[in-house]
Amino acid sequence: MTATTAANEPSAAPGGHPQRWLILGVICLAQLTVLLDNTVLGVAIPSLTSELHASTADIQWMINAYSLVQSGLLLTAGNAADRYGRKKLLAAGLALFGLGSLAAGLAGSTAQLIAARAGMGVGGALLMTTTLAVVMQIFDDSERVKAIALWATVSSLGFAAGPLIGGAILNHFWWGMIFLINIPVALVGLVAVVKLVPESKNPQGERPDLVGALLSTVGMTAAVYAIITGPEHGWASAEVLVPAAVGVAVLAAFARWELRVPHPMLDMHFFRDQRFVGAVAGAILVMFGMGGSLFLLTQHLQFVLGYEPLEAGLRMAPLALTVVVLNLSGVGPRIVVKLGTAPTVAVGMTLVAAGLASIALIGGGTHSSYWGMLLGLVLMGVGLAVANPAMANAIMSAIPPEKAGVGAGVNGTLAEFGNGLGVAVLGAVLNARFAALVTVTATSLPAALAAAGSDAERVRVSDAFASGLQTSQLVGAVAVLVGGLLAAVLLARAERAEKAAGKGAGKTAAPNPAAAA
């Protein structure tokens, strides 16, 4: 590292930055706001269907526009922050997120809201990749682990607590307030970043891979579009097959580009490491199950069981509380140390799958008890708290230390992509099952109920919707269970290969780590 670069990469002073805990509080607040917007929209679905006349596909795109844009830009945003300045990119992310929230809160149509959510995704990507980098910068070694633990806890809380906070807001205000409330947070965060956060950058860092970001975003969007529109147009129709083919082709072009470009957004050679592949599979599928489940559960609680938004949010709270309590107590890391990475991932993913199955089989019908749903939420929370630390550790350990920022970006990208894919796939299963059971031309459950000609027909429509929800949850449970076991097998094989390589190293010359990967 040159003198110039070293000057731009200040290490934390003994004890860290003098205002480090205040900065951490601001960063966590901004992080919480970004993550809440992954799930807060779920409780607003009834309001959006009635006031904006949004169809189920519209709702899915309101959710996916945010997560897909964010996941497509996370890696490039991290590289840009390293090169041009983490403080600058953090401030830009807050500004863009605030402007996107303003546009979303004032949207007068579904198209405007989808576009605003995409804009919020750009700001969210800048925030997600820079907050952890700033935490690493302002804390010294003695406090960094504690700071990162708090940051991670807020991340888990943000994802799981969206329905509760959204319900509390909607209990007193119209749906636009779930976005407008982000604006004062963004303003406070922007001022605090400008005043408090020190700048750091590496001018000789890797250049942003803009082509890779474009290809990954277009490819994922096309693929998810095909999944969302499948039940409506038919899986063999041109409306589905064309975007599906475009998605596959563009994602293949993305992989080819990443193999050839000097500074790739994602080094495809990482996939030679079975630890990385196993952790990637687990990370995508655990968020697939959780994201899709939250999307379905908020509809079940409000549409089928008739709860108000706040009541629905309170009934979702046990998931968030379980994750936070177990994260703060450090249960996940301790289990990893005791059992090892592969068994921990298997146990955690099995618990998540069991939670989804419990919700479907015990708490998913029109006359089911909430206790089955509560059991499922708690099981999912325990599984997430156990599996997530193990998978994050596996991803980071499979990537060279000098590319730790890329590893963090990969982890965030997988979470966002898995969430968006879960909403798309499980939502498509719901729509297909619903359409198979009742013949309706309406594009949402409220519209179908309004079009029903009798009480018996309305009951039949509600039962069909509940059956679709149950089928979707079971599909999610099977995907999470199979994916978890596959991830555990790959991780176990990688661990055995490492041990064998370690024993061989004692008898022969030290092997090349890159070749072992």
Side-chain angles (χ1 to χ4, degrees):
M1 180 180 290
T2 65
T4 301
T5 305
N8 284 310
E9 285 280 10
S11 58
H17 191 279
Q19 294 175 301
R20 58 194 178 279
W21 294 107
L22 178 59
I23 296 173
L24 178 63
V26 172
I27 285 173
C28 286
L29 183 61
Q31 180 92 341
L32 179 64
T33 305
V34 172
L35 290 164
L36 283 173
D37 273 273
N38 278 307
T39 54
V40 72
L41 199 63
V43 293
I45 290 174
S47 300
L48 293 170
T49 55
S50 61
E51 296 182 32
L52 292 183
H53 307 291
S55 66
T56 299
D58 290 332
I59 297 295
Q60 288 174 315
W61 273 110
M62 291 173 191
I63 297 172
N64 287 324
Y66 181 75
S67 59
L68 287 175
V69 169
Q70 191 176 85
S71 62
L73 294 177
L74 275 171
L75 293 174
T76 295
N79 288 337
D82 287 338
R83 183 174 180 83
Y84 301 114
R86 296 169 189 125
K87 177 178 179 177
K88 290 187 183 71
L89 270 291
L90 182 55
L94 283 164
L96 287 172
F97 190 78
L99 290 172
S101 297
L102 177 63
L106 301 179
S109 68
T110 56
Q112 291 175 6
L113 183 52
I114 291 170
R117 290 275 292 171
M120 291 172 66
V122 177
L126 296 175
L127 285 170
M128 292 281 286
T129 53
T130 50
T131 51
L132 184 56
V134 171
V135 171
M136 297 292 290
Q137 172 195 352
I138 62 176
F139 286 91
D140 65 8
D141 293 339
S142 64
E143 294 179 325
R144 191 169 292 146
V145 174
K146 181 179 180 182
I148 292 175
L150 290 173
W151 178 88
T153 300
V154 170
S155 296
S156 298
L157 175 63
F159 189 86
L164 174 60
I165 295 176
I169 293 172
L170 290 172
N171 200 47
H172 299 91
F173 304 100
W174 99 106
W175 63 265
M177 280 302 296
I178 63 177
F179 301 113
L180 296 181
I181 200 166
N182 295 335
I183 296 173
V185 177
L187 289 174
V188 171
L190 185 58
V191 172
V193 166
V194 172
K195 295 287 187 182
L196 298 175
V197 176
E199 182 61 283
S200 67
K201 60 182 176 179
N202 177 14
Q204 297 181 349
E206 297 177 352
R207 287 180 292 180
D209 179 14
L210 299 180
V211 175
L214 177 63
L215 289 173
S216 64
T217 303
V218 171
M220 288 190 293
T221 301
V224 173
Y225 176 82
I227 294 170
I228 289 176
T229 57
E232 180 182 354
H233 297 292
W235 295 104
S237 66
E239 290 88 346
V240 174
L241 294 179
V242 170
V246 170
V248 171
V250 174
L251 289 175
F254 165 73
R256 183 177 177 84
W257 172 264
E258 296 300 288
L259 286 170
R260 298 178 63 182
V261 69
H263 302 294
M265 185 174 75
L266 175 60
D267 188 346
M268 303 305 291
H269 295 95
F270 292 154
F271 289 93
R272 294 177 179 174
D273 191 322
Q274 291 184 0
R275 288 175 302 167
F276 184 79
V277 174
V280 162
I284 290 177
L285 285 166
V286 74
M287 295 306 297
F288 174 95
M290 185 174 178
S293 175
L294 291 180
F295 172 69
L296 299 172
L297 279 178
T298 52
Q299 295 183 70
H300 179 81
L301 287 166
Q302 294 177 86
F303 287 153
V304 177
L305 301 183
Y307 291 116
E308 295 296 320
L310 179 58
E311 295 174 326
L314 287 171
R315 282 162 177 78
M316 295 288 290
L319 173 61
L321 291 174
T322 302
V323 172
V324 171
V325 169
L326 293 181
N327 275 345
L328 287 176
S329 63
V331 169
R334 286 201 296 269
I335 292 179
V336 174
V337 172
K338 186 173 183 179
L339 298 182
T341 301
T344 301
V345 169
V347 170
M349 297 285 277
T350 300
L351 287 171
V352 173
L356 289 167
S358 173
I359 292 170
L361 299 175
I362 305 176
T366 51
H367 304 292
S368 299
S369 167
Y370 171 70
W371 297 108
M373 187 176 294
L374 175 62
L375 173 63
L377 292 170
V378 172
L379 286 173
M380 287 176 64
V382 175
L384 290 169
V386 169
N388 277 344
M391 288 186 294
N393 178 69
I395 290 175
M396 297 304 291
S397 64
I399 292 177
E402 63 270 17
K403 294 190 176 182
V406 174
V410 168
N411 196 44
T413 300
L414 297 175
E416 289 298 329
F417 181 62
N419 176 54
L421 198 61
V423 170
V425 173
L426 298 189
V429 173
L430 164 62
N431 289 341
R433 178 64 175 167
F434 181 62
L437 293 175
V438 293
T439 304
V440 294
T441 57
T443 56
S444 66
L445 178 64
L449 291 173
S454 64
D455 289 341
E457 189 174 350
R458 279 188 285 272
V459 170
R460 189 161 56 252
V461 169
S462 294
D463 287 342
F465 189 81
S467 178
L469 287 170
Q470 289 176 301
T471 302
S472 299
Q473 299 282 20
L474 287 174
V475 169
V478 172
V480 170
L481 180 61
V482 173
L485 295 178
L486 173 63
V489 168
L490 291 174
L491 289 168
R493 287 177 59 183
E495 289 175 356
R496 288 196 299 270
E498 281 187 359
K499 289 180 181 178
K503 291 178 181 179
K507 301 176 182 179
T508 63
N512 183 353

